[in-house]
Structure formats: C-alpha cells, structure tokens
RNA sequence: GCGCCCGUAGCUCAGCCCGGAUAGAGCGUUUGCCUCCGGAGCAAAAGGUCAGAGGUUCGAAUCCUCUCGGGCGUACCA
C-alpha cells in the first residue's frame, strides 16, 4: 500500500519536473526520521538547486505551488533548507488498506537459486545452516514478489570429501560395503561420518603415504566400479537423505538435486570443454608451472592484477577441476549447454510437491529443469574467486548477458566465538586463542552440528512452554516448542547482513527475548489471541468494510499514534521489495521485528476487547487483524511459523 | 605482494549502495509497570572522537585518497 502511494508521488514529481524544467531528475523519496515531518520527504529541490543555480527553498516553493493535486496526498509543505514534506490523506490510505491487497504481477522468466550444496560426507553444521537459511529466505522473498523460482541443491557425490570418508571406511576401518550399508541405515549415520572424516583427515596428516588411498578411491568412484565406488554411493545417498531431513526441520524444500555423478556420466564437461576450446576461452599451457594444463588466463576473470596466475581448468593428468565442472553446470542452468539430465522422483513433501534427483538412466521425465533467465548461487564469500572464474567462462563464450545475470549471492562464514569453543570443550592451539573467532572446519571436526543445535533449541523452548502450559498434552507442547526453536534459529541466522561474519555464540543463538524470532512469533500469537477471546465471548468479527466508513476511518486516524502504527504496519510490501532488490534477507527480518515491536506497543496501550465505543472498538479490531496479517505474511517469508500459543 | 570484506554505545549488530533534519536497535546495567486481551511483554534512564588523517561538498558514518588494526582469498582441493 505504502509502495503504491510512494510510486504515485514519485511519478507525479518526475513528470512535473520533466515538463516544467526539462530535466530527468533521478529522484529518490525519503521517509523522514521525525514522524511530524509527514510520511514522505522529497529532497529533489536540493538536486535542482545545483542544476538551476537557484536556492533550494525557492525551487521547493515553485514545486509546491505548481505541481497540482496528487491523489492520496493531503498536504505538501516546505521544511528546513528545502525539503518537501508530504502528508497522506489518512482516510484514503486507511480505506485502501481495507480492500484486498493486489497480488504482484506474476513474472514470466524463471529464476534459479542454488543453495545448501553440502558435501554429502558428514553431518550439516551451522555454516551450512546459514547458507540454507539465506537461500531459502531469498527464494521466499522472490516468490512473494511474484517471481517464478526453481530451487537447486547441487550434490558433489564424487568429490574428495566423499572419497575421504570412503577411504576411512575401507582402509582405516577395513569395512565391507554391506557393513557400511548397515551403518547407513542406522540413525545419525551423518554423525558417524563426521567423526570418521575428522579421523581420516588427521590420519592423512600423520601418514602422507596414505594420500594414495584418496587417489585410488577417486579413480574407483570415477570408473564406477568396485567396492570403493559402491561404498561411495551408499555414503553419499544416505548423507543426502540426512541433510534433506535436517533442512526439512527448518521448513526448507528443494525442486531438484543435480548431482556431480551425472555431470560426469552424461558428459556435461566434455560438451563444455568443446565450447571453451572452440571459442578459445582456455588454452593448453606449454611451459611454466602449469605446463600440460588447460588454463583460463587471469585477464579473463581478474580486473587489474597482472600478478594473478592463470586458473587451471584441466589438470595435466587430463582430469577436470571443480571450476571446470562448475562452468558446465552453470551453462546448463542457463540452458546453454545443449544437454540435459534425466530425473527420477526422490521424495514427496507434505504439500504434495515432488523433489527430483538427476539420473543418467534414460527415462521419460514429466519435468524439465534448468534453462533459467537469472541464476543466484548462494555460496560463501571465500569462493568469490571461483565464482568470478565461472562468470568469466560464460563471458569468454560470448554469453555476456548471462554472465551479468549470474549472481554470486555471497555471505561471510559462520565462525565460533572463543566462549563457544570453551563450551564445546575444544582445545585451541595457543596461536588461535587470541583470535576474535575460530573458523568451523569439517576436516578437523570442529563445529556445531545443525541437528545438535536444533535439539538444544527445542529443549530450551520446551522448558519455557512447560512452565507456562503445563495443562497441555505433551505432544502438542513439543510441537509448539519445535516451532519456537525453528523461529529462533532462522531469525538468528537471518538477522545479520550477509557480509557480516557471525561469531557463533550459544547464549545469543538460544535467546528468545529481544530481537529474536520468538519475539515476533509472540506478537503474532497475541494478535490471534485477541480474536480468539472475542469469539470465546460469543462475539464475531465485524464486517470492517461496511462499519469502517471513510468518515469513521478518518476520525480514528486523526489520532497520531494510530496513524503512525498503521503506517508502519502497511510498509511490509515496501520493505520486502527493497530487501529483494538489495538481496538482503536481514532487512526483512529487521522489518518483522519492528512490526512486532510496534504491535506490542499497541497491544499494551489499547485494550481492544474492553473498548466501549463501538466505532473505536471496530477500528482497534481492524488494526489487530491488519497487524496479524502483516506479521504472518512477513514471518512466512522468513520461513517462520506461528505456534498456536506461547 | 595483490584482491575482497570488516572496524559505529560495555557486548552483538542496523544505517553506507543512492550524502541531508537531534546517529538507531537488541543484549547487558539502573529504575518503574500485572484489579486490565497471558510479562517470551511495556515504559524510561545512562551509555557514541561512527578506527585515524586528509580531500570533495552549503552539508560526510555515508563519496574519494592514504594510514592503522582485524578477517578471508589468491591450489593441477572443493
């Protein structure tokens, strides 16, 4: 609602300025910090002052007297050195909110978002949770704005990390495939692999000769034959399921899981290699340290540095690097490879949606994936160099448009605070003790496992629920606690902007007060409670559209605090739109918190059900309903559910 | 060395892209608020050389340059 008023004002100014001064002012509207300055501030007189060489106040005065009426605007006044402060027609604004909000125009083009992308060789940890929470929330943001989104979760089931765990089972533990299969059927197989991966990595460190295990395993996986390859399948498939389960606890679902094994078997790389060679995007190095490798010159992906080395795409032994495969995958995402996967269904989600996984077995597929118009890769900032190389690959092939629409949705890592390390009983080497935080390391087994954290959050939430609702059935209390725990977790992961390093701390993550998910959930629960109580009293919700006439609306909104609160609550669309353009889920989280704060204040100040004046009571009920809807809508975008009680 | 990111209240962070009106929030600290829709709440106080120095500007936390701290990259690992 706010958005459409804002746009109307913007358009009025743009066309007036173009007609009156013949200027295309790139003007931006501001929301004044002081509520008494009105709802919108137009600083355009300052810009025009420079161009026209006239004092800003004079231009502002001209604008006010000449622009004419703008629908929905009640007043326009000059303030300060030349601000134009705009006041809305409150009754018209409130009346607009009474009607159903218009759904955003559905977009035609497909957006692909790839996130999660965890090596299927161990349990997911908090770093992975940040990736998934950001990716999933961004997907929800895009969808809420009407975009068509396909969610991909890439599975590197043939890589070094899987190989290391397989090597651990085979060489270190002397396990047979059927033994591994039996273990994989047990719960928490991902935890077992977490430990084994750390043990194997440590063993490599002390026994350099064991590096041969990795090579042998990788070759076996690539050839697809023998016990090592069989074990790799067992491990990767089981861990993928574990990750899907973990992420489902957070309400995260995917459309398709493209796997590296199919990239290999269906010769995606060979197709990409041919393209890269044809267009001379890469060349065979004949001398120097990269002799015998196919490389991409640094000039292709690095802006200014001559000191940068070329990037090896194909090793001297003929195998392709990760980046090479990623270029092939990226080409497929844009539908530029001229090849496609086959798919089979992997699971069905509660809402009936199917999750598909790639296969190399030719089959009739009722679905098609890839071929997106825009691609977001949710990958941490440490991989920005590699993402630059991937985009450079597209550019070098002549796909400059696609390279521009290939977005590295980057974020900083989750690290462990020193206090957190102490709590986990991690012994830090002396040189790490004075660092501000310690990097999570799967290889070292250093980190907080996702499921452990979720369990811990549920336990804590359950204590709180039991203290308040001892009379409720245990199963129901557990469901409520779970909803609260997930709300706390998702909010915690989203409240930081993307390029802020999170130094993970249990005390902060486990907090349910202040700027947290449960605080926002609580506000929504309170709003629902009011309506529930009303019905328990034998009353029903009034028909707002007929009772709240423009006159009544105008009268009620004369009260400054009602107006301010309604205004704040009506800005959800603006907030989400801006956050989506800026690619910043944290801004949606921040808005949700402010909305909840605003409602809690309202809730405390006005006793809706006890109001005696009919018109005011109807108005207060409408405000409550409006708040509830906005809170639920915003929480939905954050992937946070509202429990029945708290 | 080079590239990217960060430095704002005791702590954790918004605000910076797009310069504007007394720099915001949460936690913590201090103090109030349950005859009232459930206090996971509300109200208030204290707390800031926006790392530092130059520059651009009528105006800089915001733009530019440099310096100082810190982090991460810069693999024939992913």
């Amino acid at each position: 609602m706010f958005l459409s008023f804002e746009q109307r004002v913007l358009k009025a100014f743009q066309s007036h300025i173009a007609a009156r001064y013949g200027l295309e002012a790139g003007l931006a509207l501001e929301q004044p910090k002081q509520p008494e300055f009105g709802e919108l501030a137009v600083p355009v007189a300052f810009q025009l002052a420079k161009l026209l060489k006239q004092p800003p106040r004079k231009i502002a005065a001209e604008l006010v007297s000449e622009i004419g009426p703008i629908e929905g605007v009640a007043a326009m006044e000059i303030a300060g050195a030349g601000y134009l402060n705009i006041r809305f027609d409150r009754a018209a604004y409130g009346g607009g909110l009474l009607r159903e909000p218009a759904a955003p125009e559905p977009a035609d083009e497909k957006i692909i978002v790839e996130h999660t992308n965890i090596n299927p060789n161990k349990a997911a940890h908090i770093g992975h949770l940040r990736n998934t929470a950001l990716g999933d929330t961004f997907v929800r943001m895009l969808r809420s704005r009407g975009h068509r989104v396909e969610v991909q979760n890439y599975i590197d089931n043939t890589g070094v990390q899987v190989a290391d765990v397989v090597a651990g089972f085979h060489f270190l533990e002397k396990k047979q495939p059927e033994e591994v299969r039996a273990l994989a059927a047990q719960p928490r197989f991902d935890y077992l692999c977490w430990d084994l991966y750390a043990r194997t990595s440590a063993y490599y460190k002390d026994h350099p000769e064991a590096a041969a295990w990795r090579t042998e395993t990788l070759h076996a996986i690539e050839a697809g034959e023998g016990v090592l390859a069989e074990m790799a399948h067992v491990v990767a498939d089981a861990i993928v399921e574990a990750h899907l389960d973990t992420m489902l606890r957070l309400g995260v679902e995917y459309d398709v899981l493209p796997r590296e094994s199919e990239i290999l078997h269906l010769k995606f790389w060979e197709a990409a290699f041919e393209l890269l060679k044809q267009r001379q995007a890469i060349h065979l190095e004949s001398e120097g340290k990269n002799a015998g490798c196919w490389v991409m010159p640094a000039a292709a992906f690095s802006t200014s540095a001559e000191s940068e080395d070329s990037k090896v795409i194909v090793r001297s032994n003929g195998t392709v690097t990760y980046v090479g495969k990623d270029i092939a995958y990226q080409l497929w995402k844009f539908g530029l490879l001229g090849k496609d996967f086959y798919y089979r269904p992997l699971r069905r989600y509660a809402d009936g949606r199917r999750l598909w996984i790639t296969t190399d077995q030719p089959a009739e597929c009722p679905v098609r994936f890839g071929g997106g118009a825009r691609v977001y890769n949710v990958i941490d900032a440490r991989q920005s160099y590699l993402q630059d190389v991937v985009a450079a690959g597209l550019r070098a092939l002549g796909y400059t448009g696609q390279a521009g629409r290939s977005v590295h949705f980057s974020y900083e890592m989750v690290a462990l605070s020193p206090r957190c390390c102490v709590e986990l009983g991690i012994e830090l080497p002396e040189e790490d003790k004075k660092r501000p935080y310690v990097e999570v390391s799967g290889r070292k087994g250093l980190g907080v496992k996702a499921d452990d954290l979720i369990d811990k959050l549920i336990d804590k939430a359950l204590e709180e629920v039991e203290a308040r609702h001892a009379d409720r059935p245990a199963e129901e209390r557990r469901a409520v606690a779970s909803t609260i725990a997930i709300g706390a977790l998702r909010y915690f992961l989203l409240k930081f902007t993307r390029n802020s390093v999170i130094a993970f701390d249990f005390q902060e993550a486990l907090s349910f007060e202040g700027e947290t998910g449960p605080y926002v959930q609580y506000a929504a629960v309170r709003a629902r409670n009011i309506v529930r109580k009303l019905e328990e009293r034998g009353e029903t919700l009034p028909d707002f559209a007929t009772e709240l006439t423009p006159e009544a609306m105008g009268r009620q909104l004369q009260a400054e605090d009602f107006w301010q609160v309604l205004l704040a609550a009506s800005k959800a669309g603006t907030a989400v739109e801006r956050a989506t353009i800026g690619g910043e889920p944290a801004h949606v989280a921040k808005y949700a918190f402010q909305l909840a704060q605003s409602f809690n204040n309202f809730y405390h100040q006005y006793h809706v059900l006890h109001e005696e004046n009919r018109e005011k009571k109807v108005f207060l009920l409408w405000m409550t309903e409006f708040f509830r809807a906005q809170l639920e809508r915003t929480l939905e975008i954050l992937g946070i559910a509202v429990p029945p009680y708290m």
Side-chain angles (χ1 to χ4, degrees), chain A residues 277-469:
Chain A
K277 280 193 287 194
Q278 272 171 27
R279 311 276 173 98
Q280 296 177 352
I282 60 177
H283 64 268
L284 185 60
E285 199 75 79
S286 57
E287 55 190 25
K289 62 172 181 171
N290 292 334
C293 299
W294 286 86
V295 303
M296 185 183 292
F301 54 84
S302 178
T303 44
S304 63
E306 290 172 21
S307 58
E308 295 245 17
D309 288 335
S310 309
K311 179 66 196 171
V312 171
I313 305 295
V314 181
R315 303 183 186 100
S316 53
N317 68 5
T319 57
V320 58
T321 59
Y322 169 78
V323 198
K325 283 179 266 190
D326 220 20
I327 291 172
Y329 178 33
Q330 193 75 0
L331 284 167
W332 172 78
K333 282 177 179 169
F334 279 111
L336 300 172
L337 193 65
K339 274 183 170 287
D340 204 348
F341 297 107
Y342 301 107
Y343 309 94
R344 63 179 169 84
L346 187 65
R347 57 166 79 182
R348 188 187 282 276
Y349 291 115
D351 63 358
R353 279 180 33 173
R354 271 199 188 284
L355 167 64
W356 298 80
I357 190 163
T358 55
T359 164
D360 54 8
Q361 298 305 307
E364 278 301 308
C365 303
V367 284
R368 270 264 176 281
F369 297 104
R374 176 176 285 274
V375 173
Y376 290 91
N377 296 326
V378 182
I379 305 178
D380 80 86
R382 286 171 292 192
Q383 299 200 45
S384 58
Y385 165 76
L386 295 173
Q387 284 291 301
D388 287 346
V389 175
V390 170
L394 294 186
R395 255 197 315 276
L397 292 173
Y399 299 121
T400 47
Q402 284 85 349
R405 279 173 269 124
S406 179
V407 182
H408 177 197
F409 196 88
S410 79
Y411 61 94
E412 282 291 343
M413 63 176 167
V414 181
L416 305 177
S417 71
R419 181 167 66 182
C420 179
C421 292
V422 172
E423 283 168 352
L424 289 169
I426 295 168
E427 275 294 319
L428 290 178
E430 209 49 49
E431 72 268 21
D432 281 356
K433 281 188 179 156
K434 41 187 187 288
R435 294 162 73 86
Y437 42 73
V438 183
E439 205 170 332
V440 170
S441 166
R443 204 164 280 282
K444 292 181 190 159
L446 196 64
V448 177
K449 294 190 213 51
D451 283 314
D452 282 348
L453 178 59
I454 298 170
D455 291 343
K456 211 163 171 165
L457 279 157
I458 292 177
D459 287 346
K460 175 149 188 244
L462 197 54
E463 272 176 43
E464 303 279 342
V465 174
E466 284 176 345
R468 284 158 231 240
H469 303 280

Side-chain angles (χ1 to χ4, degrees), chain A residues 543-561:
Chain A
D543 177 16
F544 297 122
T546 52
E547 289 212 45
L548 283 175
T549 59
E551 294 73 29
M553 187 68 91
R555 267 194 299 278
Q556 294 303 323
L557 286 174
Q558 279 315 302
E560 195 57 32
D561 45 355

